[in-house]
Amino acid sequence: MTELPHPIVGGAFTSPVAPGTGWPDDPAAPDTPVARDADDVRRLAGTDALAELDARVSVCSACPRLVTWREDVATVKRASFADQPYWGRPINGWGDPEPSLLIVGLAPAANGGNRTGRIFTGDPSADWLFASLHRTGWASQPTSEHAGDGQRLLDARMVATVRCAPPGNKPTPTERDTCAPWIAAELALLPTVRAVVALGAFGWDGAVRSLVAAGAPAPATRPKFGHGVELRLGDVTLIGCYHPSPHNTYTGRLTREMTDAVFERARALTD
């Protein structure tokens, strides 16, 4: 299998990256247990250690269609990244282990997180999102280009409702439900969270489901997703934000000021 150098730290890595071979921030080891089906996910999500949960997420193989897709993308590669190794594995949560803010999205991008090994990293959506997080004090740098680039989240953490890059950015309901125990378990291990920013309608729905699964009281009525819409769930306030996709940002549906306002609102809630 061909090995290529990591664009930041060098070395030599296969695509997909084997666990425990030195990729920056890889939480797994060669002997990390692997979930092969939905029952395995439910069982392996039952750890009380966040670092171990991250490791188990990062090697999950429970959804055959998603495994095939993420690894095919990692092997074929986009032409502009042909000289780079691709992570090609699920993307675990990333950031502060005791955050007051959690950012929830749909799933990794095929040539973004699936390539770089970090959620919301290495594509135009990431450029927009991290610029706002830096302006509002949640990130140490204005860009997030690749695992190993020195970026840090400050009192914040990111997670996807579905951990593998799906074809067409559309996981199936079965894939969503199979993956759900991972995020529910992660939320249960983040008692410091007071604000959740949901990126897009899928992130909103996934955040509500996951917060309730983690112990928050179910809302009597669920407001429809919208930019700036808020929903109180126990000790946590959920805030909707349009997804920072090029479609939304290039057309002006989501502006820099609108994005910053959401994260400034999260700051006010957590302060």
Coordinates of all heavy atoms in Angstrom, one line a residue, residues 148-194:
G148 N -2.6 18.8 13.1 CA -1.1 19.1 13.3 C -0.7 20.5 13.0 O 0.4 20.9 13.1
D149 N -1.7 21.4 12.6 CA -1.4 22.8 12.3 C -1.4 23.7 13.5 O -1.2 24.9 13.3 CB -2.4 23.3 11.2 CG -3.8 23.4 11.8 OD1 -4.1 23.1 13.0 OD2 -4.8 23.7 11.0
G150 N -1.5 23.2 14.7 CA -1.4 24.1 15.9 C -2.7 24.7 16.3 O -2.8 25.4 17.3
Q151 N -3.8 24.5 15.5 CA -5.1 25.1 15.9 C -5.6 24.5 17.2 O -5.4 23.3 17.5 CB -6.1 24.9 14.8 CG -7.5 25.3 15.0 CD -7.6 26.8 15.2 OE1 -7.4 27.4 16.3 NE2 -8.0 27.5 14.1
R152 N -6.2 25.4 18.0 CA -6.9 24.9 19.3 C -8.2 25.6 19.4 O -8.4 26.8 19.1 CB -6.0 25.2 20.5 CG -4.7 24.5 20.6 CD -4.0 24.9 21.9 NE -3.7 26.3 21.9 CZ -4.2 27.2 22.8 NH1 -5.0 26.7 23.8 NH2 -3.9 28.4 22.8
L153 N -9.2 24.8 19.9 CA -10.5 25.4 20.3 C -10.3 25.9 21.8 O -9.7 25.1 22.6 CB -11.6 24.5 20.1 CG -12.0 24.2 18.7 CD1 -13.1 23.2 18.6 CD2 -12.5 25.5 18.0
L154 N -10.9 27.0 22.1 CA -10.8 27.6 23.4 C -12.2 27.5 24.1 O -13.1 28.2 23.8 CB -10.4 29.0 23.3 CG -9.1 29.3 22.5 CD1 -8.8 30.7 22.3 CD2 -7.9 28.5 23.1
D155 N -12.3 26.6 25.1 CA -13.5 26.4 25.8 C -14.7 25.9 24.9 O -15.8 26.2 25.2 CB -14.0 27.7 26.6 CG -15.0 27.4 27.6 OD1 -15.1 26.3 28.2 OD2 -15.8 28.4 27.9
A156 N -14.3 25.3 23.8 CA -15.3 24.8 22.8 C -14.9 23.4 22.3 O -13.7 23.0 22.4 CB -15.4 25.8 21.7
R157 N -15.8 22.7 21.7 CA -15.6 21.4 21.2 C -16.5 21.3 20.0 O -17.6 21.9 19.9 CB -15.9 20.3 22.2 CG -15.5 18.9 21.8 CD -15.6 17.9 22.9 NE -15.3 16.5 22.5 CZ -14.1 16.0 22.5 NH1 -13.1 16.7 22.9 NH2 -13.9 14.7 22.1
M158 N -16.1 20.4 19.0 CA -16.9 20.2 17.8 C -17.2 18.7 17.7 O -16.3 17.9 18.0 CB -16.1 20.6 16.5 CG -15.9 22.1 16.4 SD -14.9 22.4 14.9 CE -15.1 24.1 14.7
V159 N -18.3 18.4 17.1 CA -18.7 17.0 16.9 C -19.7 16.9 15.7 O -20.4 17.9 15.4 CB -19.3 16.4 18.2 CG1 -20.7 17.1 18.5 CG2 -19.4 14.9 18.1
A160 N -19.7 15.8 15.0 CA -20.7 15.6 13.9 C -21.7 14.5 14.4 O -21.3 13.6 15.2 CB -19.9 15.1 12.7
T161 N -22.9 14.7 13.9 CA -23.9 13.7 14.3 C -23.7 12.3 13.6 O -24.0 11.3 14.1 CB -25.3 14.2 13.9 OG1 -25.3 14.6 12.5 CG2 -25.7 15.4 14.7
V162 N -23.1 12.4 12.4 CA -22.6 11.2 11.7 C -21.1 11.3 11.5 O -20.7 12.3 11.0 CB -23.4 11.0 10.3 CG1 -22.8 9.8 9.5 CG2 -24.9 10.8 10.6
R163 N -20.4 10.3 11.9 CA -18.9 10.5 12.0 C -18.1 10.1 10.7 O -16.9 10.4 10.7 CB -18.4 9.6 13.2 CG -19.1 9.8 14.5 CD -19.0 11.3 14.9 NE -19.7 11.6 16.1 CZ -19.1 11.7 17.3 NH1 -17.8 11.5 17.4 NH2 -19.8 11.9 18.4
C164 N -18.8 9.6 9.7 CA -18.1 9.3 8.4 C -18.6 10.2 7.3 O -19.8 10.5 7.3 CB -18.3 7.8 8.1 SG -17.6 6.6 9.2
A165 N -17.8 10.5 6.4 CA -18.2 11.2 5.2 C -19.2 10.4 4.4 O -18.9 9.3 4.0 CB -17.0 11.6 4.3
P166 N -20.5 10.9 4.2 CA -21.4 10.1 3.4 C -21.5 10.5 2.0 O -21.2 11.7 1.6 CB -22.7 10.5 4.1 CG -22.5 11.9 4.6 CD -21.0 12.0 4.8
P167 N -21.8 9.6 1.1 CA -22.0 10.0 -0.3 C -23.0 11.1 -0.5 O -24.1 11.0 0.1 CB -22.5 8.7 -1.0 CG -22.0 7.6 -0.1 CD -22.1 8.2 1.3
G168 N -22.7 12.1 -1.2 CA -23.6 13.2 -1.5 C -24.0 14.0 -0.2 O -25.0 14.7 -0.2
N169 N -23.2 13.8 0.8 CA -23.4 14.5 2.1 C -24.8 14.1 2.7 O -25.4 14.9 3.4 CB -23.4 16.0 2.0 CG -21.9 16.5 1.7 OD1 -21.0 15.9 2.3 ND2 -21.8 17.5 0.9
K170 N -25.3 12.9 2.4 CA -26.6 12.4 2.8 C -26.6 11.1 3.4 O -26.7 10.0 2.7 CB -27.6 12.5 1.6 CG -27.9 13.8 1.1 CD -28.9 13.8 -0.1 CE -29.2 15.2 -0.6 NZ -30.1 15.1 -1.8
P171 N -26.4 11.0 4.7 CA -26.5 9.7 5.4 C -27.9 9.2 5.4 O -28.8 10.0 5.3 CB -26.0 10.0 6.8 CG -26.3 11.4 7.0 CD -26.1 12.1 5.7
T172 N -28.1 7.9 5.4 CA -29.4 7.3 5.5 C -29.9 7.4 6.9 O -29.1 7.5 7.9 CB -29.4 5.9 5.0 OG1 -28.7 5.1 6.0 CG2 -28.8 5.7 3.6
P173 N -31.2 7.3 7.1 CA -31.8 7.2 8.5 C -31.1 6.1 9.3 O -30.9 6.3 10.5 CB -33.3 7.0 8.3 CG -33.5 7.7 7.0 CD -32.3 7.4 6.1
T174 N -30.9 5.0 8.7 CA -30.3 3.8 9.4 C -28.9 4.2 9.8 O -28.5 3.9 11.0 CB -30.3 2.6 8.5 OG1 -31.6 2.2 8.2 CG2 -29.6 1.4 9.2
E175 N -28.1 4.8 8.9 CA -26.7 5.2 9.3 C -26.8 6.3 10.4 O -26.0 6.2 11.3 CB -26.0 5.8 8.1 CG -25.7 4.7 7.0 CD -25.4 5.2 5.6 OE1 -25.6 6.4 5.4 OE2 -25.0 4.4 4.8
R176 N -27.7 7.2 10.3 CA -27.8 8.2 11.4 C -28.1 7.5 12.7 O -27.5 7.9 13.8 CB -29.0 9.2 11.0 CG -29.3 10.2 12.1 CD -30.7 10.7 11.9 NE -31.7 9.7 12.2 CZ -33.0 9.7 11.8 NH1 -33.5 10.8 11.1 NH2 -33.8 8.7 12.1
D177 N -29.0 6.6 12.7 CA -29.4 5.9 14.0 C -28.3 5.0 14.5 O -28.1 4.9 15.7 CB -30.7 5.1 13.8 CG -31.9 6.0 13.5 OD1 -31.8 7.3 13.7 OD2 -32.9 5.5 13.0
T178 N -27.6 4.4 13.6 CA -26.5 3.5 14.0 C -25.4 4.4 14.7 O -24.8 3.9 15.7 CB -25.9 2.8 12.8 OG1 -26.9 1.9 12.3 CG2 -24.7 2.0 13.2
C179 N -25.2 5.6 14.2 CA -24.1 6.4 14.7 C -24.5 7.2 16.0 O -23.7 7.6 16.8 CB -23.7 7.4 13.7 SG -22.0 8.1 13.8
A180 N -25.8 7.3 16.2 CA -26.4 8.1 17.3 C -25.8 7.8 18.7 O -25.6 8.8 19.5 CB -27.9 8.0 17.3
P181 N -25.5 6.6 19.1 CA -25.0 6.4 20.4 C -23.7 7.0 20.7 O -23.3 7.4 21.8 CB -24.9 4.8 20.5 CG -25.9 4.3 19.6 CD -25.9 5.3 18.4
W182 N -22.9 7.3 19.7 CA -21.6 7.9 19.9 C -21.7 9.3 20.4 O -21.1 9.7 21.4 CB -20.8 8.0 18.6 CG -20.3 6.7 18.0 CD1 -20.4 6.2 16.7 CD2 -19.5 5.6 18.7 NE1 -19.8 5.0 16.5 CE2 -19.2 4.6 17.7 CE3 -19.0 5.5 20.0 CZ2 -18.5 3.5 18.0 CZ3 -18.3 4.4 20.3 CH2 -18.0 3.4 19.3
I183 N -22.6 10.1 19.7 CA -22.8 11.5 20.1 C -23.5 11.6 21.5 O -23.2 12.5 22.3 CB -23.4 12.4 19.0 CG1 -23.4 13.9 19.4 CG2 -24.8 11.9 18.7 CD1 -23.9 14.8 18.4
A184 N -24.5 10.7 21.7 CA -25.2 10.7 23.0 C -24.2 10.4 24.1 O -24.3 11.1 25.2 CB -26.3 9.7 22.9
A185 N -23.3 9.5 23.9 CA -22.3 9.2 24.9 C -21.4 10.3 25.2 O -21.0 10.6 26.3 CB -21.6 7.9 24.5
E186 N -21.0 11.0 24.1 CA -20.1 12.1 24.2 C -20.7 13.3 25.0 O -20.1 13.9 25.9 CB -19.6 12.6 22.8 CG -18.6 13.6 22.8 CD -17.8 13.8 21.5 OE1 -18.0 12.9 20.7 OE2 -17.1 14.7 21.4
L187 N -22.0 13.6 24.7 CA -22.7 14.6 25.4 C -22.8 14.3 26.9 O -22.6 15.2 27.7 CB -24.1 14.8 24.8 CG -24.1 15.7 23.5 CD1 -25.4 15.5 22.8 CD2 -23.8 17.1 23.8
A188 N -23.0 13.0 27.2 CA -23.1 12.7 28.6 C -21.8 12.9 29.3 O -21.8 13.0 30.6 CB -23.5 11.2 28.7
L189 N -20.7 12.9 28.6 CA -19.3 13.0 29.2 C -18.9 14.5 29.1 O -17.7 14.8 29.5 CB -18.3 12.2 28.4 CG -18.5 10.7 28.6 CD1 -17.5 9.9 27.7 CD2 -18.3 10.2 30.0
L190 N -19.8 15.4 28.7 CA -19.5 16.8 28.7 C -20.5 17.7 29.5 O -21.2 18.5 29.0 CB -19.5 17.3 27.2 CG -18.6 16.6 26.2 CD1 -18.9 17.1 24.8 CD2 -17.1 16.9 26.6
P191 N -20.4 17.5 30.8 CA -21.4 18.2 31.7 C -21.2 19.7 31.8 O -22.1 20.4 32.3 CB -21.2 17.5 33.1 CG -19.7 17.1 33.0 CD -19.5 16.6 31.6
T192 N -20.1 20.2 31.3 CA -19.8 21.6 31.4 C -20.5 22.4 30.2 O -20.5 23.6 30.3 CB -18.3 21.9 31.3 OG1 -17.7 21.2 30.1 CG2 -17.6 21.3 32.6
V193 N -21.0 21.7 29.2 CA -21.6 22.4 28.1 C -22.8 23.2 28.5 O -23.7 22.6 29.2 CB -22.0 21.4 27.0 CG1 -22.8 22.0 25.9 CG2 -20.7 20.8 26.3
R194 N -22.9 24.4 28.1 CA -24.1 25.3 28.4 C -24.7 25.8 27.1 O -25.9 26.3 27.1 CB -23.7 26.4 29.3 CG -23.3 26.0 30.7 CD -24.5 25.4 31.4 NE -24.2 24.8 32.7 CZ -23.9 23.5 32.9 NH1 -23.9 22.7 31.9 NH2 -23.6 23.1 34.1

